[in-house]
Amino acid sequence: MKYRTNQIKAHLLIFILTLIGLQICFSKYGYAQKFTFKNGIKRDALNFQKIKNLIIIPIYINGKGPFNFLLDTGVDPLIITDSKLLDTLQYKNLRPIKINGVGEKKEIEALFSIESTVSISNASMNNIPTVILKEDVFNLSGYLGMKIHGLIGFHFFNSFVVKVNYVNSRIKFILPEVSKQIKGSKIELEFLENKPYINTLLKTQQMGEIPVKLIIDCGASHALSLETYNQDVFPLPNPNISGNLGVGLGGEISGNIGRISGLKLGVYKFDNVLTNFPDFNDVAGKAKQKERTGNLGSDILKRFHITYDYQNKAMYLKKNDFFNQPFEHDMSGIELYTIDEDGMRYFIGRIEAGSPAEKAGLLVNDEITGINFKKIDTYSLNEITSALKSTDGQVLVMEIWRKDHIVIKILKLKRRI
């Protein structure tokens, strides 16, 4: 087996797309447009792939596809991350733009178009504003272990009443005018720059119970991220660990991981919630929206059957089979990335200092070829992720391809936060 060293390392992504500073006024391009059905259809449904708590749906653009897109409540406009689609989609009029994001880089180059006709199952929309990144800064494909072409959000959610079932991996979408009374605990939504926010309460060790404004972000795999409080650094809990929290449009995002005491969502309450605390200068200091405290991600959202009703500025929650799952952080200290050649291959992109992986002697660029005497191709990416955060004290036998030979390492998982 030949190891390729020229692969780009992927990081654990948190999708801070809600902080994009696009220097374009999209309203003049017909933002009032919505997805519509043809032939009298009033409702539809489709299955999605759920990987690392995220929703991947098939879409068609300009009659070509299907393409795998991440469905994200916080994304506006449509974002194509795979620049190779430019040749396939044959855009005629592209406008060069620069995007300000979060992270270490100042800005990235992209192209803008209003020539995208997008179809999702039996629904379609013409002239959807589209940004095409010249560089795939997210490497979503490496993170999720399948080819990902981009992200879609606001226009779809704004066109329908959208019901997401994380247990059955299925979405139903219905025209707002024919939607019946919605069941579940109602939570009011506030929209700022076409992005949904909730105002709620959380509890911390230092401050007790405080009001917060959180963006609803089903395109973030974490549970909760707290970026700022009163436009200053959000106080860190004790204990906490430092780490690379992911990448935004502007590059890598550093910060800390800890737990807050409690979070309220309507009639529901969560305790001991695993929480990211991004570096203030990487995220909050660059944010356009100064009112927000942070974002609520899919490790919490997946615990509900959710109905999004953008037209009436509300979402409805009914707890599901995932509701009582504990909030667990990775117990290995390994960040993985994948390469899809003849078959999926898994590599170590980063090892956290002082982690079980470092103590076990695992190295960056090691290829994982087996776990517990089972070949790696018998595991899905979700199963590998679960194995690496399964149980405190669990021992995993790791088979590694290093340079030109097999190495066996014993990895003992440890709950670090």
Side-chain angles (χ1 to χ4, degrees):
M1 182 184 302
K2 183 179 180 181
Y3 174 69
R4 299 189 177 184
T5 59
N6 62 343
Q7 301 297 334
I8 298 175
K9 180 175 69 172
H11 299 283
L12 174 64
L13 300 178
I14 54 175
F15 305 117
I16 317 283
L17 291 165
T18 55
L19 304 179
I20 294 174
L22 292 176
Q23 304 304 310
I24 291 178
C25 178
F26 290 119
S27 59
K28 67 180 180 179
Y29 294 108
Y31 247 32
Q33 272 189 296
K34 295 181 181 180
F35 279 89
T36 58
F37 290 124
K38 294 181 179 179
N39 303 320
I41 296 175
K42 298 180 179 179
R43 65 188 68 225
D44 202 354
L46 76 159
N47 296 326
F48 64 85
Q49 295 190 62
K50 183 178 66 188
I51 304 176
K52 295 188 176 182
N53 302 326
L54 304 179
I55 299 171
I56 312 300
I57 63 170
I59 77 169
Y60 290 80
I61 304 176
N62 296 344
K64 305 292 179 61
F67 304 115
N68 296 321
F69 268 63
L70 174 68
L71 185 63
D72 187 336
T73 44
V75 166
D76 179 29
L78 178 79
I79 297 177
I80 294 176
T81 57
D82 183 2
S83 61
K84 295 179 182 178
L85 292 192
L86 283 172
D87 293 334
T88 302
L89 301 178
Q90 299 179 334
Y91 292 113
K92 295 180 180 179
N93 299 301
L94 291 168
R95 176 179 172 182
I97 61 172
K98 292 185 178 180
I99 301 175
N100 299 318
V102 296
E104 297 176 351
K105 300 179 182 179
K106 293 183 178 179
E107 60 186 14
I108 63 172
E109 294 184 347
L111 299 168
F112 175 71
S113 174
I114 55 168
E115 297 174 2
S116 295
T117 295
V118 175
S119 298
I120 301 176
S121 192
N122 290 301
S124 63
M125 176 178 170
N126 298 323
N127 304 119
I128 183 168
T130 303
V131 169
I132 304 101
L133 303 183
K134 288 188 175 181
E135 177 188 357
D136 186 359
V137 295
F138 297 121
N139 190 16
L140 291 170
S141 300
Y143 175 63
L144 295 176
M146 64 180 294
K147 185 64 178 177
I148 303 296
H149 300 90
L151 306 96
I152 189 169
F154 172 77
H155 293 92
F156 178 72
F157 285 101
N158 193 48
S159 302
F160 306 106
V161 173
V162 180
K163 299 181 178 181
V164 180
N165 186 323
Y166 282 96
V167 176
N168 294 333
S169 297
R170 190 163 175 82
I171 294 173
K172 296 180 180 180
F173 45 108
I174 308 163
L175 292 175
E177 58 268 27
V178 299
S179 177
K180 298 179 180 179
Q181 184 177 3
I182 303 172
K183 298 179 181 179
S185 174
K186 182 180 180 181
I187 297 180
E188 300 288 342
L189 295 178
E190 177 184 355
F191 284 85
L192 301 172
E193 298 179 331
N194 290 335
K195 297 165 179 62
Y197 290 79
I198 60 168
N199 295 289
T200 189
L201 299 172
L202 60 77
K203 186 176 182 181
T204 72
Q205 298 168 335
Q206 300 97 323
M207 297 183 288
E209 192 169 71
I210 59 171
V212 292
K213 183 186 293 292
L214 304 173
I215 188 168
I216 301 298
D217 192 356
C218 72
S221 59
H222 58 249
L224 182 66
S225 177
L226 298 176
E227 302 149 10
T228 181
Y229 188 66
N230 289 334
Q231 298 187 29
D232 202 351
V233 178
F234 201 102
L236 289 176
N238 187 21
N240 66 80
I241 59 175
S242 61
N244 170 30
L245 302 184
V247 293
L249 279 173
E252 295 184 11
I253 299 170
S254 59
N256 297 75
I257 303 168
R259 294 181 183 270
I260 63 164
S261 303
L263 172 70
K264 290 184 178 179
L265 282 180
V267 299
Y268 301 103
K269 181 180 178 182
F270 294 102
D271 298 321
N272 203 30
V273 180
L274 191 67
T275 304
N276 288 348
F277 298 87
D279 181 87
F280 181 84
N281 293 322
D282 279 352
V283 179
K286 300 179 181 179
K288 291 178 63 180
Q289 181 48 252
K290 301 299 182 182
E291 295 181 40
R292 61 181 277 166
T293 311
N295 71 8
L296 187 73
S298 56
D299 196 23
I300 285 182
L301 298 174
K302 74 171 186 181
R303 299 161 192 267
F304 298 98
H305 298 309
I306 304 180
T307 302
Y308 296 97
D309 184 1
Y310 276 29
Q311 295 302 302
N312 292 303
K313 297 182 179 180
M315 62 185 292
Y316 297 81
L317 306 179
K318 290 180 64 179
K319 66 180 181 180
N320 63 25
D321 294 346
F322 300 142
F323 185 82
N324 291 318
Q325 286 185 353
F327 295 98
E328 292 290 8
H329 180 53
D330 165 73
M331 298 186 194
S332 69
I334 293 173
E335 285 184 15
L336 291 178
Y337 69 94
T338 66
I339 301 172
D340 187 0
E341 295 177 329
D342 296 331
M344 195 63 64
R345 300 170 66 187
Y346 299 88
F347 297 86
I348 296 177
R350 181 175 178 270
I351 293 177
E352 294 181 8
S355 67
E358 183 181 68
K359 294 176 181 178
L362 295 169
L363 301 176
V364 171
N365 294 330
D366 281 347
E367 180 177 359
I368 300 175
T369 55
I371 300 177
N372 288 345
F373 307 106
K374 292 175 59 179
K375 292 299 181 182
I376 200 68
D377 58 10
T378 65
Y379 291 90
S380 68
L381 183 57
N382 280 337
E383 290 170 336
I384 296 172
T385 302
S386 296
L388 295 178
K389 63 177 183 180
S390 55
T391 305
D392 187 30
Q394 177 76 33
V395 173
L396 302 178
V397 180
M398 308 293 291
E399 180 185 281
I400 301 298
W401 181 258
R402 181 179 295 170
K403 296 183 178 177
D404 59 357
H405 62 282
I406 292 291
V407 177
I408 302 297
K409 295 293 183 180
I410 304 300
L411 176 64
K412 185 176 182 180
L413 302 181
K414 180 176 176 57
R415 182 180 288 110
R416 294 174 291 149
I417 191 65

